[in-house]
């Protein structure tokens, strides 16, 4: 996988660069794949459902509206992602079980952590364009992430 800095040097403005201070919280620091999306607010029902399906190397981008009040992913849902072949997750929100997440072979970038669990009402949308941090994430677009940040094709 090409490092994000080198990729940006090569392709420049053909790429969008995520302008958020995300933390690397998974066992894999570099990951890439086609984008899938979930838009939810403090509710993890939809992302659990999506991560329970074959990921085939995709990256799930979760727009949790930047909420740090509740974690939308913990160790059990992350383990589902690993079992189902997902490359990683990028979360505009919080996770929990950070000590376990760091041991999993999954890329996880999130704003932070909170031990408070999410609600489970099933609210939200799947595979719709989502926008945060100056980037529009379209399902199917290529995403590349590493310690320097996240790049997404326009």
């Amino acid at each position: 996988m090409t490092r994000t800095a080198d990729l940006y040097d090569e392709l420049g403005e053909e790429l969008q660069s995520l302008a958020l201070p995300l933390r690397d919280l998974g066992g894999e620091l570099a990951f890439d794949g086609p984008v899938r999306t979930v838009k939810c607010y403090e509710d993890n029902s939809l992302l659990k459902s999506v991560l329970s399906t074959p990921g085939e190397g995709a990256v799930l981008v979760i727009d949790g509206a930047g909420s740090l009040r509740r974690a939308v992913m913990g160790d059990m849902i992350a383990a589902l992602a690993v079992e189902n072949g997902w490359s990683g997750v990028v979360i505009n929100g919080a996770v929990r079980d950070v000590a376990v997440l760091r041991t999993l072979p999954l890329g996880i970038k999130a704003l932070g952590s909170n031990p408070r669990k999410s609600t489970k009402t099933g609210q939200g949308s799947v595979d719709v364009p989502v926008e945060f941090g100056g980037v529009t994430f379209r399902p199917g677009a290529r995403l590349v992430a590493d310690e320097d940040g996240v790049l997404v094709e326009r």
Side-chain angles (χ1 to χ4, degrees), residues 6-119:
D6 294 334
L7 191 59
Y8 191 85
D9 288 349
E10 179 184 330
L11 299 174
E13 292 305 309
E14 293 177 34
L15 302 169
Q16 303 173 84
S17 176
L18 184 61
L20 282 182
L22 297 179
R23 294 173 51 194
D24 286 307
L25 298 168
E28 297 293 331
L29 299 178
F31 57 98
D32 67 319
V35 168
R36 299 273 316 272
T37 66
V38 169
K39 186 174 181 126
C40 59
Y41 181 73
E42 298 183 0
D43 186 312
N44 69 4
S45 301
L46 286 178
L47 68 104
K48 181 179 181 183
S49 174
V50 171
L51 290 172
S52 295
T53 65
E56 300 172 342
V59 176
L60 187 61
V61 176
I62 302 157
D63 184 3
S67 176
L68 295 174
R69 291 177 359 113
R70 293 178 181 269
V72 294
M73 189 178 79
D75 59 348
M76 294 184 345
I77 292 177
L80 283 174
V82 172
E83 289 170 29
N84 288 298
W86 291 82
S87 174
V89 295
V90 174
I91 305 172
N92 184 23
V95 298
R96 66 187 213 157
D97 304 311
V98 171
V100 176
L101 297 182
R102 287 191 178 120
T103 69
L104 298 175
L106 182 69
I108 302 170
K109 286 187 174 286
L111 285 176
S113 61
N114 188 326
R116 187 178 186 198
K117 66 182 179 178
S118 77
T119 61

